[in-house]
Amino acid sequence: MKKQSASLIAKLLNQNSQPLPQGVHNGHPAELIVMRNVQDLMPNPKNEAYRTDNIDELAAMIDLTQRIEPLIVKPLPEEEGKYMILSGHRRRLAQMYRLEHGMTDDPRVPTITREIVNPLEEIIDDDEMETLNIVFPNKGSRRNLSPVEEAAEIALVKPIIRKIYEHQKEHGETAGKFRTFFANILGISETTLARKEAIGKLSDTAKEAVEEGRITATAAAELSKLEKDEQDTALTAIKEKGERPTVEAVQRAKAGQEKQGQTGRETGQAEIPIERVLEAQGQGRLSFTRGDDSSEKENTAPLPPAEEEERSAVHAVLNPEKWLNPEQWLRGELFDLDQTVQSHIDDCKEANNAMGVEQWKLRQAAIQMILDHLKDCLK
């Protein structure tokens, strides 16, 4: 794939970070810093997904240093003298806190007025460009984003980035999967992206557990495979057993729910081995033979890149020479592989590709079969 997706966003945002010709400093263009009443600065609705806690600490720091970084704002045409904040919501609240608690009697804060430039107006609208300019420049400066906030941020920019991806792909400027493109823009791996997105699929109860640190992001990703009401049921069952909601505990709770729902098998329906199902779908029998073993050879027909990548990942997972701690390491690697497969399922659902969903679910079932077999072997 052409490695330009991340640099594309950087170039777009760089255009919006250039100073407007409001003045000159040492022969260079400089943005004019204007002191404005904090009451004239309106919070941006796009910032509502983010926490604004620990404002008292920020207010105390400002009071100590007597310094406030300029807030970035844009004019509100419909309200004369009012401005919408693009960056600096916590600083606004900190100044209001200082006013309310008698720490200052000056309501003004330094501001820089900036207009959003949209060089991709044929692809995304101005509102979407503004969203990118709120999210990406602040990714490094925002303090302690929670997993739930990260998931909301990813969900906010995903449809915008997809438009850019589809345009670039149509014009031959990029290739490969959208998920790879998107992960590259975010600067994270596809597995990490899948875990972060999984948080957004949680029920309110499960999200609260994540926010409070009662369940890890990895266990939450495993939990997200259930429907929201089933997630709450699983968490209740785990709590009643006096267990922590670890990946293993969530998997046991899922297995318990699946066992209760499998009435078809108990009434005499024959269980078809996963190998036969895969063969019937044209996937071929799964084989995990060593590369230097010529006694067994699987189908040598070339696989599409995505399937070859998955096959290589499975071989790498089951290579005994790489085992360090078989139980912990191997389960972790298989879980990562399962998350990657789940991401493909999600992509197929978004594209209304029912056949793709079923094919990837077969692969997911194969991974689960291996996990179940490992549990039996390691007992």
Side-chain angles (χ1 to χ4, degrees):
M1 189 184 86
K2 297 180 181 179
K3 299 286 186 179
Q4 63 177 36
S5 53
S7 61
L8 167 71
I9 295 297
K11 289 176 182 177
L12 292 176
L13 300 183
N14 185 55
Q15 293 187 44
N16 284 302
S17 66
Q18 298 302 312
L20 295 176
Q22 298 170 324
V24 177
H25 178 69
N26 292 333
H28 299 286
E31 290 180 305
L32 184 65
I33 297 177
V34 178
M35 300 298 291
R36 292 191 171 91
N37 191 316
V38 71
Q39 303 295 343
D40 292 333
L41 308 181
M42 304 294 105
N44 197 310
K46 294 183 175 66
N47 199 70
E48 292 178 356
Y50 302 105
R51 291 178 302 175
T52 51
D53 52 359
N54 299 321
I55 296 301
D56 55 338
E57 296 179 9
L58 179 57
M61 180 61 67
I62 292 172
D63 206 50
L64 178 66
T65 62
Q66 292 296 302
R67 184 172 182 272
I68 304 177
E69 287 290 331
L71 286 71
I72 308 301
V73 300
K74 70 170 185 177
L76 283 176
E78 63 274 14
E79 295 186 56
E80 186 176 355
K82 301 293 183 180
Y83 296 82
M84 176 77 73
I85 298 175
L86 298 176
S87 176
H89 290 81
R90 298 184 73 253
R91 280 165 276 166
R92 167 183 172 271
L93 291 176
Q95 184 70 351
M96 294 176 69
Y97 181 95
R98 294 178 70 217
L99 288 168
E100 292 170 3
H101 290 79
M103 300 168 73
T104 183
D105 57 2
D106 187 354
R108 298 176 303 160
V109 292
T111 66
I112 293 175
T113 302
R114 189 171 291 169
E115 296 287 349
I116 298 296
V117 177
N118 183 9
L120 295 180
E121 56 185 7
E122 76 278 10
I123 306 172
I124 60 177
D125 59 35
D126 292 346
D127 185 67
E128 291 170 324
M129 178 57 73
E130 180 179 307
T131 297
L132 296 182
N133 276 271
I134 289 174
V135 171
F136 283 95
N138 288 316
K139 286 183 72 65
S141 61
R142 287 199 180 102
R143 301 172 63 252
N144 302 323
L145 277 189
S146 72
V148 173
E149 287 174 329
E150 284 186 314
E153 187 175 73
I154 289 172
L156 182 65
V157 301
K158 186 175 183 178
I160 304 174
I161 301 301
R162 185 180 287 279
K163 287 183 179 181
I164 297 174
Y165 163 80
E166 290 175 350
H167 177 83
Q168 286 200 347
K169 191 167 185 179
E170 181 181 346
H171 290 78
E173 298 172 4
T174 192
K177 302 177 298 180
F178 169 70
R179 184 165 295 275
T180 304
F181 182 91
F182 191 30
N184 186 31
I185 279 182
L186 296 176
I188 57 179
S189 69
E190 291 182 56
T191 300
T192 301
L193 173 59
R195 287 179 178 172
K196 290 181 182 296
E197 285 191 296
I199 303 298
K201 303 173 186 175
L202 296 175
S203 67
D204 291 341
T205 300
K207 285 181 179 177
E208 184 179 341
V210 172
E211 294 278 63
E212 295 175 356
R214 291 186 282 111
I215 180 172
T216 66
T218 305
E222 180 71 17
L223 186 66
S224 71
K225 297 176 187 177
L226 296 172
E227 297 296 330
K228 290 185 177 181
D229 57 337
E230 294 174 336
Q231 294 173 20
D232 295 342
T233 301
L235 287 176
T236 300
I238 292 170
K239 184 177 180 179
E240 289 176 350
K241 292 180 180 179
E243 299 178 344
R244 288 182 55 80
T246 61
V247 172
E248 291 77 11
V250 171
Q251 288 175 341
R252 286 194 294 271
K254 284 173 55 183
Q257 291 187 19
E258 290 170 359
K259 188 175 294 185
Q260 292 178 0
Q262 289 176 347
T263 56
R265 291 182 181 177
E266 296 175 0
T267 56
Q269 181 179 353
E271 182 175 347
I272 303 174
I274 188 65
E275 292 89 346
R276 287 181 57 189
V277 177
L278 291 171
E279 290 172 2
Q281 292 291 328
Q283 303 302 318
R285 184 180 180 86
L286 286 176
S287 173
F288 303 111
T289 57
R290 295 279 301 279
D292 56 354
D293 186 354
S294 58
S295 60
E296 281 186 62
K297 291 188 177 180
E298 48 189 319
N299 186 359
T300 57
L303 294 172
E307 295 187 24
E308 182 61 42
E309 178 184 348
E310 180 198 353
R311 179 71 61 86
S312 299
V314 174
H315 277 284
V317 166
L318 295 178
N319 184 352
E321 295 176 358
K322 295 184 179 180
W323 286 12
L324 300 176
N325 183 326
E327 182 175 1
Q328 184 177 4
W329 177 82
L330 191 51
R331 285 183 178 179
E333 291 294 321
L334 282 170
F335 176 77
D336 285 347
L337 182 59
D338 181 72
Q339 287 296 296
T340 299
V341 171
Q342 182 62 44
S343 73
H344 287 299
I345 293 174
D346 293 340
D347 285 344
C348 288
K349 286 181 178 178
E350 289 182 10
N352 294 320
N353 182 357
M355 181 177 293
V357 170
E358 292 306 314
Q359 289 178 340
W360 283 110
K361 281 187 175 181
L362 286 171
R363 292 170 171 83
Q364 193 171 55
I367 295 170
Q368 188 60 52
M369 181 183 69
I370 298 169
L371 280 169
D372 293 341
H373 182 66
L374 283 172
K375 289 177 184 178
D376 294 336
C377 291
L378 295 172
K379 283 182 180 178

